[in-house]
Amino acid sequence: TDVVVVCIKQFFSIIFIVGYMLYRDWRVLAIFAFVIIVIIYPLTRVAKRLRKLARVGQEQNASLTSLLGESFKGIRVVNDQN
């Protein structure tokens, strides 16, 4: 419930700030909106690439963990027979 309250506060803060910027100087708001749009596009592309790389890294980590687990189980079996 605390998260909901914080989200609502943040939402109204953003609305207030945008309204105040519009009241003070609409051109600054327009420039700000343009800059935000220009920044968001490359960030979304980078985020997609990072998610893909993270998925590949997790798959490699899972393979390595599986291989190590099998190796350790094999060592235990050899030690038990000696």
Side-chain angles (χ1 to χ4, degrees):
T1 59
D2 195 35
V3 174
V4 174
V5 172
V6 170
C7 287
I8 291 171
K9 284 182 181 179
Q10 292 295 325
F11 174 75
F12 283 114
S13 294
I14 290 171
I15 296 298
F16 175 77
I17 291 170
V18 169
Y20 184 73
M21 287 176 70
L22 188 60
Y23 169 73
R24 293 289 290 171
D25 191 2
W26 65 270
R27 286 169 279 189
V28 173
L29 178 63
I31 291 170
F32 177 73
F34 177 75
V35 168
I36 291 295
I37 290 170
V38 167
I39 289 173
I40 287 176
Y41 178 70
L43 284 179
T44 56
R45 292 180 54 98
V46 168
K48 282 182 185 179
R49 182 168 169 86
L50 287 176
R51 278 194 298 268
K52 182 179 178 183
L53 290 173
R55 184 174 42 249
V56 169
Q58 287 176 345
E59 289 171 358
Q60 290 175 348
N61 193 12
S63 296
L64 180 62
T65 302
S66 175
L67 180 66
L68 286 173
E70 291 172 1
S71 296
F72 290 145
K73 287 179 185 176
I75 290 171
R76 277 192 219 129
V77 170
V78 170
N79 286 340
D80 286 343
Q81 291 177 355
N82 285 335

